PDB file of all heavy atoms in Angstrom:
ATOM      1  N   GLN A   1       1.325  82.355 -82.438  1.00  0.00           N
ATOM      2  CA  GLN A   1       2.774  82.243 -82.545  1.00  0.00           C
ATOM      3  C   GLN A   1       3.222  80.797 -82.331  1.00  0.00           C
ATOM      4  O   GLN A   1       2.423  79.938 -81.923  1.00  0.00           O
ATOM      5  CB  GLN A   1       3.447  83.162 -81.506  1.00  0.00           C
ATOM      6  CG  GLN A   1       3.166  84.638 -81.727  1.00  0.00           C
ATOM      7  CD  GLN A   1       3.667  85.487 -80.574  1.00  0.00           C
ATOM      8  OE1 GLN A   1       3.229  85.341 -79.438  1.00  0.00           O
ATOM      9  NE2 GLN A   1       4.599  86.382 -80.865  1.00  0.00           N
ATOM     10  N   LYS A   2       4.487  80.582 -82.546  1.00  0.00           N
ATOM     11  CA  LYS A   2       5.068  79.263 -82.300  1.00  0.00           C
ATOM     12  C   LYS A   2       5.248  79.024 -80.811  1.00  0.00           C
ATOM     13  O   LYS A   2       4.959  77.937 -80.299  1.00  0.00           O
ATOM     14  CB  LYS A   2       6.414  79.167 -83.025  1.00  0.00           C
ATOM     15  CG  LYS A   2       7.179  77.875 -82.748  1.00  0.00           C
ATOM     16  CD  LYS A   2       8.486  77.850 -83.529  1.00  0.00           C
ATOM     17  CE  LYS A   2       9.284  76.585 -83.223  1.00  0.00           C
ATOM     18  NZ  LYS A   2      10.537  76.509 -84.020  1.00  0.00           N
ATOM     19  N   TRP A   3       5.732  80.012 -80.099  1.00  0.00           N
ATOM     20  CA  TRP A   3       6.073  79.866 -78.683  1.00  0.00           C
ATOM     21  C   TRP A   3       5.039  80.548 -77.801  1.00  0.00           C
ATOM     22  O   TRP A   3       4.578  81.643 -78.108  1.00  0.00           O
ATOM     23  CB  TRP A   3       7.438  80.483 -78.395  1.00  0.00           C
ATOM     24  CG  TRP A   3       8.561  79.838 -79.137  1.00  0.00           C
ATOM     25  CD1 TRP A   3       9.091  80.233 -80.335  1.00  0.00           C
ATOM     26  CD2 TRP A   3       9.296  78.680 -78.744  1.00  0.00           C
ATOM     27  NE1 TRP A   3      10.103  79.400 -80.717  1.00  0.00           N
ATOM     28  CE2 TRP A   3      10.261  78.428 -79.751  1.00  0.00           C
ATOM     29  CE3 TRP A   3       9.236  77.826 -77.642  1.00  0.00           C
ATOM     30  CZ2 TRP A   3      11.162  77.367 -79.682  1.00  0.00           C
ATOM     31  CZ3 TRP A   3      10.130  76.767 -77.568  1.00  0.00           C
ATOM     32  CH2 TRP A   3      11.071  76.544 -78.584  1.00  0.00           C
ATOM     33  N   PRO A   4       4.673  79.956 -76.680  1.00  0.00           N
ATOM     34  CA  PRO A   4       3.792  80.626 -75.714  1.00  0.00           C
ATOM     35  C   PRO A   4       4.587  81.635 -74.897  1.00  0.00           C
ATOM     36  O   PRO A   4       5.810  81.509 -74.743  1.00  0.00           O
ATOM     37  CB  PRO A   4       3.292  79.469 -74.835  1.00  0.00           C
ATOM     38  CG  PRO A   4       4.388  78.467 -74.875  1.00  0.00           C
ATOM     39  CD  PRO A   4       5.008  78.577 -76.249  1.00  0.00           C
ATOM     40  N   TRP A   5       3.914  82.628 -74.367  1.00  0.00           N
ATOM     41  CA  TRP A   5       4.580  83.615 -73.522  1.00  0.00           C
ATOM     42  C   TRP A   5       4.860  83.077 -72.129  1.00  0.00           C
ATOM     43  O   TRP A   5       5.708  83.578 -71.424  1.00  0.00           O
ATOM     44  CB  TRP A   5       3.720  84.878 -73.421  1.00  0.00           C
ATOM     45  CG  TRP A   5       3.661  85.632 -74.708  1.00  0.00           C
ATOM     46  CD1 TRP A   5       4.379  85.386 -75.841  1.00  0.00           C
ATOM     47  CD2 TRP A   5       2.840  86.758 -75.012  1.00  0.00           C
ATOM     48  NE1 TRP A   5       4.054  86.281 -76.829  1.00  0.00           N
ATOM     49  CE2 TRP A   5       3.113  87.147 -76.352  1.00  0.00           C
ATOM     50  CE3 TRP A   5       1.905  87.476 -74.294  1.00  0.00           C
ATOM     51  CZ2 TRP A   5       2.470  88.215 -76.957  1.00  0.00           C
ATOM     52  CZ3 TRP A   5       1.270  88.546 -74.909  1.00  0.00           C
ATOM     53  CH2 TRP A   5       1.551  88.911 -76.224  1.00  0.00           C
ATOM     54  N   ALA A   6       4.110  82.072 -71.718  1.00  0.00           N
ATOM     55  CA  ALA A   6       4.301  81.483 -70.387  1.00  0.00           C
ATOM     56  C   ALA A   6       4.313  79.972 -70.508  1.00  0.00           C
ATOM     57  O   ALA A   6       3.416  79.391 -71.122  1.00  0.00           O
ATOM     58  CB  ALA A   6       3.192  81.940 -69.436  1.00  0.00           C
ATOM     59  N   PHE A   7       5.343  79.354 -69.952  1.00  0.00           N
ATOM     60  CA  PHE A   7       5.440  77.903 -69.961  1.00  0.00           C
ATOM     61  C   PHE A   7       4.875  77.372 -68.645  1.00  0.00           C
ATOM     62  O   PHE A   7       5.118  77.936 -67.584  1.00  0.00           O
ATOM     63  CB  PHE A   7       6.896  77.455 -70.104  1.00  0.00           C
ATOM     64  CG  PHE A   7       7.491  77.768 -71.450  1.00  0.00           C
ATOM     65  CD1 PHE A   7       8.072  79.007 -71.688  1.00  0.00           C
ATOM     66  CD2 PHE A   7       7.455  76.845 -72.467  1.00  0.00           C
ATOM     67  CE1 PHE A   7       8.626  79.308 -72.920  1.00  0.00           C
ATOM     68  CE2 PHE A   7       8.004  77.136 -73.708  1.00  0.00           C
ATOM     69  CZ  PHE A   7       8.587  78.361 -73.939  1.00  0.00           C
ATOM     70  N   GLY A   8       4.148  76.281 -68.733  1.00  0.00           N
ATOM     71  CA  GLY A   8       3.574  75.712 -67.520  1.00  0.00           C
ATOM     72  C   GLY A   8       3.428  74.212 -67.637  1.00  0.00           C
ATOM     73  O   GLY A   8       3.469  73.635 -68.730  1.00  0.00           O
ATOM     74  N   GLY A   9       3.272  73.558 -66.487  1.00  0.00           N
ATOM     75  CA  GLY A   9       3.085  72.117 -66.484  1.00  0.00           C
ATOM     76  C   GLY A   9       4.362  71.386 -66.845  1.00  0.00           C
ATOM     77  O   GLY A   9       5.477  71.899 -66.715  1.00  0.00           O
ATOM     78  N   SER A  10       4.217  70.177 -67.327  1.00  0.00           N
ATOM     79  CA  SER A  10       5.368  69.340 -67.670  1.00  0.00           C
ATOM     80  C   SER A  10       5.493  69.159 -69.178  1.00  0.00           C
ATOM     81  O   SER A  10       5.983  68.141 -69.647  1.00  0.00           O
ATOM     82  CB  SER A  10       5.228  67.976 -66.991  1.00  0.00           C
ATOM     83  OG  SER A  10       4.000  67.351 -67.380  1.00  0.00           O
ATOM     84  N   TYR A  11       5.011  70.145 -69.926  1.00  0.00           N
ATOM     85  CA  TYR A  11       5.045  70.026 -71.394  1.00  0.00           C
ATOM     86  C   TYR A  11       6.503  70.055 -71.868  1.00  0.00           C
ATOM     87  O   TYR A  11       7.235  71.004 -71.574  1.00  0.00           O
ATOM     88  CB  TYR A  11       4.278  71.179 -72.013  1.00  0.00           C
ATOM     89  CG  TYR A  11       3.932  70.971 -73.475  1.00  0.00           C
ATOM     90  CD1 TYR A  11       2.770  70.297 -73.831  1.00  0.00           C
ATOM     91  CD2 TYR A  11       4.759  71.439 -74.489  1.00  0.00           C
ATOM     92  CE1 TYR A  11       2.447  70.099 -75.170  1.00  0.00           C
ATOM     93  CE2 TYR A  11       4.448  71.250 -75.817  1.00  0.00           C
ATOM     94  CZ  TYR A  11       3.282  70.575 -76.155  1.00  0.00           C
ATOM     95  OH  TYR A  11       2.968  70.377 -77.473  1.00  0.00           O
ATOM     96  N   PRO A  12       6.960  69.028 -72.598  1.00  0.00           N
ATOM     97  CA  PRO A  12       8.365  68.973 -73.029  1.00  0.00           C
ATOM     98  C   PRO A  12       8.715  70.145 -73.946  1.00  0.00           C
ATOM     99  O   PRO A  12       7.970  70.463 -74.872  1.00  0.00           O
ATOM    100  CB  PRO A  12       8.457  67.636 -73.781  1.00  0.00           C
ATOM    101  CG  PRO A  12       7.285  66.842 -73.299  1.00  0.00           C
ATOM    102  CD  PRO A  12       6.201  67.839 -73.008  1.00  0.00           C
ATOM    103  N   TRP A  13       9.863  70.741 -73.716  1.00  0.00           N
ATOM    104  CA  TRP A  13      10.257  71.918 -74.484  1.00  0.00           C
ATOM    105  C   TRP A  13      10.467  71.595 -75.956  1.00  0.00           C
ATOM    106  O   TRP A  13      10.278  72.436 -76.819  1.00  0.00           O
ATOM    107  CB  TRP A  13      11.530  72.525 -73.896  1.00  0.00           C
ATOM    108  CG  TRP A  13      12.730  71.620 -73.992  1.00  0.00           C
ATOM    109  CD1 TRP A  13      13.151  70.721 -73.079  1.00  0.00           C
ATOM    110  CD2 TRP A  13      13.660  71.549 -75.082  1.00  0.00           C
ATOM    111  NE1 TRP A  13      14.267  70.069 -73.503  1.00  0.00           N
ATOM    112  CE2 TRP A  13      14.604  70.569 -74.742  1.00  0.00           C
ATOM    113  CE3 TRP A  13      13.779  72.203 -76.311  1.00  0.00           C
ATOM    114  CZ2 TRP A  13      15.659  70.239 -75.581  1.00  0.00           C
ATOM    115  CZ3 TRP A  13      14.831  71.881 -77.146  1.00  0.00           C
ATOM    116  CH2 TRP A  13      15.751  70.908 -76.782  1.00  0.00           C
ATOM    117  N   TRP A  14      10.899  70.351 -76.252  1.00  0.00           N
ATOM    118  CA  TRP A  14      11.173  70.022 -77.645  1.00  0.00           C
ATOM    119  C   TRP A  14       9.905  69.994 -78.512  1.00  0.00           C
ATOM    120  O   TRP A  14       9.980  70.143 -79.719  1.00  0.00           O
ATOM    121  CB  TRP A  14      11.917  68.695 -77.736  1.00  0.00           C
ATOM    122  CG  TRP A  14      11.180  67.511 -77.152  1.00  0.00           C
ATOM    123  CD1 TRP A  14      10.248  66.729 -77.761  1.00  0.00           C
ATOM    124  CD2 TRP A  14      11.326  67.002 -75.831  1.00  0.00           C
ATOM    125  NE1 TRP A  14       9.799  65.771 -76.907  1.00  0.00           N
ATOM    126  CE2 TRP A  14      10.446  65.898 -75.698  1.00  0.00           C
ATOM    127  CE3 TRP A  14      12.118  67.350 -74.738  1.00  0.00           C
ATOM    128  CZ2 TRP A  14      10.330  65.157 -74.542  1.00  0.00           C
ATOM    129  CZ3 TRP A  14      12.002  66.601 -73.575  1.00  0.00           C
ATOM    130  CH2 TRP A  14      11.131  65.518 -73.473  1.00  0.00           C
ATOM    131  N   LYS A  15       8.735  69.806 -77.865  1.00  0.00           N
ATOM    132  CA  LYS A  15       7.503  69.863 -78.635  1.00  0.00           C
ATOM    133  C   LYS A  15       7.228  71.290 -79.116  1.00  0.00           C
ATOM    134  O   LYS A  15       6.717  71.503 -80.208  1.00  0.00           O
ATOM    135  CB  LYS A  15       6.332  69.341 -77.805  1.00  0.00           C
ATOM    136  CG  LYS A  15       6.353  67.833 -77.594  1.00  0.00           C
ATOM    137  CD  LYS A  15       5.049  67.337 -76.998  1.00  0.00           C
ATOM    138  CE  LYS A  15       5.043  65.822 -76.866  1.00  0.00           C
ATOM    139  NZ  LYS A  15       3.775  65.316 -76.302  1.00  0.00           N
ATOM    140  N   TYR A  16       7.569  72.278 -78.268  1.00  0.00           N
ATOM    141  CA  TYR A  16       7.458  73.665 -78.702  1.00  0.00           C
ATOM    142  C   TYR A  16       8.442  73.929 -79.840  1.00  0.00           C
ATOM    143  O   TYR A  16       8.133  74.618 -80.813  1.00  0.00           O
ATOM    144  CB  TYR A  16       7.764  74.613 -77.538  1.00  0.00           C
ATOM    145  CG  TYR A  16       6.722  74.643 -76.457  1.00  0.00           C
ATOM    146  CD1 TYR A  16       6.989  74.115 -75.195  1.00  0.00           C
ATOM    147  CD2 TYR A  16       5.468  75.206 -76.672  1.00  0.00           C
ATOM    148  CE1 TYR A  16       6.039  74.159 -74.189  1.00  0.00           C
ATOM    149  CE2 TYR A  16       4.515  75.243 -75.671  1.00  0.00           C
ATOM    150  CZ  TYR A  16       4.804  74.716 -74.429  1.00  0.00           C
ATOM    151  OH  TYR A  16       3.865  74.749 -73.439  1.00  0.00           O
ATOM    152  N   PHE A  17       9.649  73.403 -79.686  1.00  0.00           N
ATOM    153  CA  PHE A  17      10.695  73.646 -80.666  1.00  0.00           C
ATOM    154  C   PHE A  17      10.317  73.082 -82.034  1.00  0.00           C
ATOM    155  O   PHE A  17      10.666  73.653 -83.078  1.00  0.00           O
ATOM    156  CB  PHE A  17      12.008  73.025 -80.181  1.00  0.00           C
ATOM    157  CG  PHE A  17      13.190  73.328 -81.038  1.00  0.00           C
ATOM    158  CD1 PHE A  17      13.821  74.566 -80.961  1.00  0.00           C
ATOM    159  CD2 PHE A  17      13.679  72.399 -81.943  1.00  0.00           C
ATOM    160  CE1 PHE A  17      14.910  74.857 -81.766  1.00  0.00           C
ATOM    161  CE2 PHE A  17      14.763  72.678 -82.752  1.00  0.00           C
ATOM    162  CZ  PHE A  17      15.387  73.919 -82.658  1.00  0.00           C
ATOM    163  N   GLN A  18       9.598  71.958 -82.030  1.00  0.00           N
ATOM    164  CA  GLN A  18       9.230  71.305 -83.279  1.00  0.00           C
ATOM    165  C   GLN A  18       8.003  71.925 -83.954  1.00  0.00           C
ATOM    166  O   GLN A  18       7.656  71.542 -85.067  1.00  0.00           O
ATOM    167  CB  GLN A  18       8.962  69.814 -83.024  1.00  0.00           C
ATOM    168  CG  GLN A  18      10.210  69.029 -82.639  1.00  0.00           C
ATOM    169  CD  GLN A  18       9.894  67.612 -82.185  1.00  0.00           C
ATOM    170  OE1 GLN A  18       8.723  67.254 -82.030  1.00  0.00           O
ATOM    171  NE2 GLN A  18      10.928  66.809 -81.950  1.00  0.00           N
ATOM    172  N   ARG A  19       7.366  72.857 -83.303  1.00  0.00           N
ATOM    173  CA  ARG A  19       6.192  73.480 -83.906  1.00  0.00           C
ATOM    174  C   ARG A  19       6.562  74.298 -85.140  1.00  0.00           C
ATOM    175  O   ARG A  19       7.624  74.941 -85.170  1.00  0.00           O
ATOM    176  CB  ARG A  19       5.515  74.417 -82.891  1.00  0.00           C
ATOM    177  CG  ARG A  19       4.785  73.709 -81.770  1.00  0.00           C
ATOM    178  CD  ARG A  19       4.231  74.736 -80.801  1.00  0.00           C
ATOM    179  NE  ARG A  19       3.311  74.137 -79.838  1.00  0.00           N
ATOM    180  CZ  ARG A  19       2.652  74.833 -78.916  1.00  0.00           C
ATOM    181  NH1 ARG A  19       2.815  76.155 -78.835  1.00  0.00           N
ATOM    182  NH2 ARG A  19       1.827  74.220 -78.090  1.00  0.00           N
ATOM    183  N   PRO A  20       5.694  74.345 -86.152  1.00  0.00           N
ATOM    184  CA  PRO A  20       5.960  75.195 -87.321  1.00  0.00           C
ATOM    185  C   PRO A  20       5.635  76.663 -87.022  1.00  0.00           C
ATOM    186  O   PRO A  20       4.820  76.970 -86.147  1.00  0.00           O
ATOM    187  CB  PRO A  20       5.011  74.638 -88.377  1.00  0.00           C
ATOM    188  CG  PRO A  20       3.875  74.045 -87.596  1.00  0.00           C
ATOM    189  CD  PRO A  20       4.485  73.513 -86.316  1.00  0.00           C
ATOM    190  N   GLU A  21       6.303  77.546 -87.736  1.00  0.00           N
ATOM    191  CA  GLU A  21       6.026  78.978 -87.619  1.00  0.00           C
ATOM    192  C   GLU A  21       4.729  79.310 -88.363  1.00  0.00           C
ATOM    193  O   GLU A  21       4.392  78.664 -89.358  1.00  0.00           O
ATOM    194  CB  GLU A  21       7.177  79.791 -88.218  1.00  0.00           C
ATOM    195  CG  GLU A  21       8.483  79.719 -87.459  1.00  0.00           C
ATOM    196  CD  GLU A  21       8.487  80.623 -86.233  1.00  0.00           C
ATOM    197  OE1 GLU A  21       7.496  81.358 -86.042  1.00  0.00           O
ATOM    198  OE2 GLU A  21       9.481  80.582 -85.490  1.00  0.00           O
ATOM    199  N   PRO A  22       3.973  80.310 -87.897  1.00  0.00           N
ATOM    200  CA  PRO A  22       2.800  80.767 -88.650  1.00  0.00           C
ATOM    201  C   PRO A  22       3.220  81.241 -90.044  1.00  0.00           C
ATOM    202  O   PRO A  22       4.285  81.852 -90.215  1.00  0.00           O
ATOM    203  CB  PRO A  22       2.260  81.922 -87.808  1.00  0.00           C
ATOM    204  CG  PRO A  22       2.755  81.650 -86.426  1.00  0.00           C
ATOM    205  CD  PRO A  22       4.106  81.011 -86.604  1.00  0.00           C
ATOM    206  N   THR A  23       2.397  80.980 -91.022  1.00  0.00           N
ATOM    207  CA  THR A  23       2.737  81.308 -92.407  1.00  0.00           C
ATOM    208  C   THR A  23       1.734  82.299 -92.986  1.00  0.00           C
ATOM    209  O   THR A  23       0.650  82.523 -92.437  1.00  0.00           O
ATOM    210  CB  THR A  23       2.740  80.044 -93.280  1.00  0.00           C
ATOM    211  OG1 THR A  23       1.400  79.508 -93.317  1.00  0.00           O
ATOM    212  CG2 THR A  23       3.695  78.999 -92.713  1.00  0.00           C
ATOM    213  N   ILE A  24       2.109  82.876 -94.131  1.00  0.00           N
ATOM    214  CA  ILE A  24       1.229  83.812 -94.820  1.00  0.00           C
ATOM    215  C   ILE A  24      -0.041  83.104 -95.297  1.00  0.00           C
ATOM    216  O   ILE A  24      -1.122  83.697 -95.326  1.00  0.00           O
ATOM    217  CB  ILE A  24       1.976  84.475 -96.010  1.00  0.00           C
ATOM    218  CG1 ILE A  24       1.133  85.604 -96.626  1.00  0.00           C
ATOM    219  CG2 ILE A  24       2.365  83.435 -97.043  1.00  0.00           C
ATOM    220  CD1 ILE A  24       0.972  86.795 -95.751  1.00  0.00           C
ATOM    221  N   ARG A  25       0.078  81.822 -95.645  1.00  0.00           N
ATOM    222  CA  ARG A  25      -1.103  81.047 -96.069  1.00  0.00           C
ATOM    223  C   ARG A  25      -2.105  80.925 -94.932  1.00  0.00           C
ATOM    224  O   ARG A  25      -3.313  81.100 -95.128  1.00  0.00           O
ATOM    225  CB  ARG A  25      -0.669  79.668 -96.555  1.00  0.00           C
ATOM    226  CG  ARG A  25      -1.824  78.703 -96.833  1.00  0.00           C
ATOM    227  CD  ARG A  25      -1.324  77.378 -97.374  1.00  0.00           C
ATOM    228  NE  ARG A  25      -2.389  76.376 -97.365  1.00  0.00           N
ATOM    229  CZ  ARG A  25      -2.618  75.557 -96.356  1.00  0.00           C
ATOM    230  NH1 ARG A  25      -1.862  75.627 -95.254  1.00  0.00           N
ATOM    231  NH2 ARG A  25      -3.606  74.671 -96.423  1.00  0.00           N
ATOM    232  N   GLU A  26      -1.600  80.637 -93.715  1.00  0.00           N
ATOM    233  CA  GLU A  26      -2.481  80.523 -92.553  1.00  0.00           C
ATOM    234  C   GLU A  26      -3.113  81.869 -92.228  1.00  0.00           C
ATOM    235  O   GLU A  26      -4.296  81.943 -91.853  1.00  0.00           O
ATOM    236  CB  GLU A  26      -1.690  79.992 -91.359  1.00  0.00           C
ATOM    237  CG  GLU A  26      -1.242  78.554 -91.537  1.00  0.00           C
ATOM    238  CD  GLU A  26      -0.205  78.128 -90.518  1.00  0.00           C
ATOM    239  OE1 GLU A  26       0.364  79.001 -89.837  1.00  0.00           O
ATOM    240  OE2 GLU A  26       0.048  76.914 -90.415  1.00  0.00           O
ATOM    241  N   PHE A  27      -2.337  82.934 -92.403  1.00  0.00           N
ATOM    242  CA  PHE A  27      -2.894  84.275 -92.179  1.00  0.00           C
ATOM    243  C   PHE A  27      -4.027  84.566 -93.148  1.00  0.00           C
ATOM    244  O   PHE A  27      -5.068  85.112 -92.754  1.00  0.00           O
ATOM    245  CB  PHE A  27      -1.788  85.323 -92.310  1.00  0.00           C
ATOM    246  CG  PHE A  27      -2.306  86.720 -92.459  1.00  0.00           C
ATOM    247  CD1 PHE A  27      -2.970  87.361 -91.418  1.00  0.00           C
ATOM    248  CD2 PHE A  27      -2.161  87.398 -93.668  1.00  0.00           C
ATOM    249  CE1 PHE A  27      -3.464  88.652 -91.561  1.00  0.00           C
ATOM    250  CE2 PHE A  27      -2.656  88.687 -93.817  1.00  0.00           C
ATOM    251  CZ  PHE A  27      -3.304  89.310 -92.761  1.00  0.00           C
ATOM    252  N   ARG A  28      -3.838  84.207 -94.418  1.00  0.00           N
ATOM    253  CA  ARG A  28      -4.893  84.454 -95.414  1.00  0.00           C
ATOM    254  C   ARG A  28      -6.168  83.692 -95.069  1.00  0.00           C
ATOM    255  O   ARG A  28      -7.276  84.197 -95.241  1.00  0.00           O
ATOM    256  CB  ARG A  28      -4.402  84.051 -96.805  1.00  0.00           C
ATOM    257  CG  ARG A  28      -3.220  84.854 -97.338  1.00  0.00           C
ATOM    258  CD  ARG A  28      -3.532  86.330 -97.458  1.00  0.00           C
ATOM    259  NE  ARG A  28      -2.407  87.077 -98.010  1.00  0.00           N
ATOM    260  CZ  ARG A  28      -2.284  88.389 -97.919  1.00  0.00           C
ATOM    261  NH1 ARG A  28      -3.218  89.089 -97.278  1.00  0.00           N
ATOM    262  NH2 ARG A  28      -1.235  89.004 -98.443  1.00  0.00           N
ATOM    263  N   GLN A  29      -6.008  82.468 -94.587  1.00  0.00           N
ATOM    264  CA  GLN A  29      -7.172  81.675 -94.204  1.00  0.00           C
ATOM    265  C   GLN A  29      -7.901  82.305 -93.017  1.00  0.00           C
ATOM    266  O   GLN A  29      -9.138  82.375 -92.992  1.00  0.00           O
ATOM    267  CB  GLN A  29      -6.730  80.246 -93.841  1.00  0.00           C
ATOM    268  CG  GLN A  29      -6.260  79.426 -95.028  1.00  0.00           C
ATOM    269  CD  GLN A  29      -7.382  79.125 -96.014  1.00  0.00           C
ATOM    270  OE1 GLN A  29      -8.521  78.887 -95.627  1.00  0.00           O
ATOM    271  NE2 GLN A  29      -7.064  79.174 -97.307  1.00  0.00           N
ATOM    272  N   LEU A  30      -7.154  82.758 -92.030  1.00  0.00           N
ATOM    273  CA  LEU A  30      -7.768  83.422 -90.876  1.00  0.00           C
ATOM    274  C   LEU A  30      -8.449  84.718 -91.298  1.00  0.00           C
ATOM    275  O   LEU A  30      -9.570  85.015 -90.881  1.00  0.00           O
ATOM    276  CB  LEU A  30      -6.700  83.711 -89.808  1.00  0.00           C
ATOM    277  CG  LEU A  30      -6.169  82.514 -89.023  1.00  0.00           C
ATOM    278  CD1 LEU A  30      -4.932  82.901 -88.220  1.00  0.00           C
ATOM    279  CD2 LEU A  30      -7.239  81.971 -88.083  1.00  0.00           C
ATOM    280  N   GLU A  31      -7.768  85.496 -92.133  1.00  0.00           N
ATOM    281  CA  GLU A  31      -8.318  86.764 -92.599  1.00  0.00           C
ATOM    282  C   GLU A  31      -9.615  86.551 -93.377  1.00  0.00           C
ATOM    283  O   GLU A  31     -10.554  87.350 -93.283  1.00  0.00           O
ATOM    284  CB  GLU A  31      -7.277  87.466 -93.469  1.00  0.00           C
ATOM    285  CG  GLU A  31      -7.634  88.885 -93.848  1.00  0.00           C
ATOM    286  CD  GLU A  31      -6.541  89.538 -94.680  1.00  0.00           C
ATOM    287  OE1 GLU A  31      -5.961  88.846 -95.541  1.00  0.00           O
ATOM    288  OE2 GLU A  31      -6.268  90.727 -94.473  1.00  0.00           O
ATOM    289  N   ARG A  32      -9.678  85.442 -94.113  1.00  0.00           N
ATOM    290  CA  ARG A  32     -10.835  85.169 -94.954  1.00  0.00           C
ATOM    291  C   ARG A  32     -12.026  84.625 -94.154  1.00  0.00           C
ATOM    292  O   ARG A  32     -13.168  84.948 -94.447  1.00  0.00           O
ATOM    293  CB  ARG A  32     -10.434  84.179 -96.055  1.00  0.00           C
ATOM    294  CG  ARG A  32     -11.539  83.911 -97.095  1.00  0.00           C
ATOM    295  CD  ARG A  32     -11.057  82.969 -98.187  1.00  0.00           C
ATOM    296  NE  ARG A  32      -9.933  83.528 -98.922  1.00  0.00           N
ATOM    297  CZ  ARG A  32      -8.691  83.030 -98.887  1.00  0.00           C
ATOM    298  NH1 ARG A  32      -8.428  81.947 -98.176  1.00  0.00           N
ATOM    299  NH2 ARG A  32      -7.729  83.603 -99.587  1.00  0.00           N
ATOM    300  N   HIS A  33     -11.775  83.819 -93.123  1.00  0.00           N
ATOM    301  CA  HIS A  33     -12.861  83.090 -92.474  1.00  0.00           C
ATOM    302  C   HIS A  33     -13.257  83.615 -91.086  1.00  0.00           C
ATOM    303  O   HIS A  33     -14.308  83.238 -90.582  1.00  0.00           O
ATOM    304  CB  HIS A  33     -12.480  81.601 -92.341  1.00  0.00           C
ATOM    305  CG  HIS A  33     -12.352  80.902 -93.661  1.00  0.00           C
ATOM    306  ND1 HIS A  33     -11.129  80.588 -94.227  1.00  0.00           N
ATOM    307  CD2 HIS A  33     -13.304  80.471 -94.540  1.00  0.00           C
ATOM    308  CE1 HIS A  33     -11.321  79.981 -95.386  1.00  0.00           C
ATOM    309  NE2 HIS A  33     -12.633  79.898 -95.606  1.00  0.00           N
ATOM    310  N   LEU A  34     -12.455  84.450 -90.469  1.00  0.00           N
ATOM    311  CA  LEU A  34     -12.821  84.964 -89.145  1.00  0.00           C
ATOM    312  C   LEU A  34     -14.028  85.889 -89.242  1.00  0.00           C
ATOM    313  O   LEU A  34     -14.128  86.716 -90.161  1.00  0.00           O
ATOM    314  CB  LEU A  34     -11.644  85.706 -88.513  1.00  0.00           C
ATOM    315  CG  LEU A  34     -10.500  84.852 -87.950  1.00  0.00           C
ATOM    316  CD1 LEU A  34      -9.348  85.738 -87.473  1.00  0.00           C
ATOM    317  CD2 LEU A  34     -10.991  83.972 -86.803  1.00  0.00           C
ATOM    318  N   THR A  35     -14.940  85.774 -88.273  1.00  0.00           N
ATOM    319  CA  THR A  35     -16.144  86.618 -88.254  1.00  0.00           C
ATOM    320  C   THR A  35     -16.251  87.481 -87.002  1.00  0.00           C
ATOM    321  O   THR A  35     -17.027  88.428 -86.961  1.00  0.00           O
ATOM    322  CB  THR A  35     -17.403  85.732 -88.351  1.00  0.00           C
ATOM    323  OG1 THR A  35     -17.419  84.808 -87.249  1.00  0.00           O
ATOM    324  CG2 THR A  35     -17.438  84.967 -89.657  1.00  0.00           C
ATOM    325  N   ASN A  36     -15.473  87.146 -85.958  1.00  0.00           N
ATOM    326  CA  ASN A  36     -15.580  87.873 -84.687  1.00  0.00           C
ATOM    327  C   ASN A  36     -14.414  88.830 -84.446  1.00  0.00           C
ATOM    328  O   ASN A  36     -14.198  89.279 -83.318  1.00  0.00           O
ATOM    329  CB  ASN A  36     -15.655  86.882 -83.519  1.00  0.00           C
ATOM    330  CG  ASN A  36     -16.958  86.111 -83.504  1.00  0.00           C
ATOM    331  OD1 ASN A  36     -18.025  86.698 -83.621  1.00  0.00           O
ATOM    332  ND2 ASN A  36     -16.882  84.792 -83.383  1.00  0.00           N
ATOM    333  N   ASP A  37     -13.655  89.143 -85.495  1.00  0.00           N
ATOM    334  CA  ASP A  37     -12.479  90.001 -85.316  1.00  0.00           C
ATOM    335  C   ASP A  37     -12.745  91.403 -85.835  1.00  0.00           C
ATOM    336  O   ASP A  37     -13.653  91.628 -86.644  1.00  0.00           O
ATOM    337  CB  ASP A  37     -11.273  89.398 -86.033  1.00  0.00           C
ATOM    338  CG  ASP A  37     -11.427  89.460 -87.546  1.00  0.00           C
ATOM    339  OD1 ASP A  37     -12.503  89.055 -88.036  1.00  0.00           O
ATOM    340  OD2 ASP A  37     -10.495  89.934 -88.226  1.00  0.00           O
ATOM    341  N   ALA A  38     -11.917  92.344 -85.345  1.00  0.00           N
ATOM    342  CA  ALA A  38     -11.979  93.721 -85.835  1.00  0.00           C
ATOM    343  C   ALA A  38     -10.845  94.016 -86.798  1.00  0.00           C
ATOM    344  O   ALA A  38     -10.752  95.120 -87.336  1.00  0.00           O
ATOM    345  CB  ALA A  38     -11.917  94.692 -84.655  1.00  0.00           C
ATOM    346  N   GLY A  39      -9.995  93.052 -87.028  1.00  0.00           N
ATOM    347  CA  GLY A  39      -8.862  93.226 -87.930  1.00  0.00           C
ATOM    348  C   GLY A  39      -7.788  92.211 -87.605  1.00  0.00           C
ATOM    349  O   GLY A  39      -7.683  91.734 -86.479  1.00  0.00           O
TER     350      GLY A  39
END
């Protein structure tokens, strides 16, 4: 995901805000290349 479930340390919040959202293209790449997953 874009955002972590728990914030910790002194990581600036705006760096989280500037992160891109996961995309369908990234999902296809993970689906194609992962070997240790069950789905």
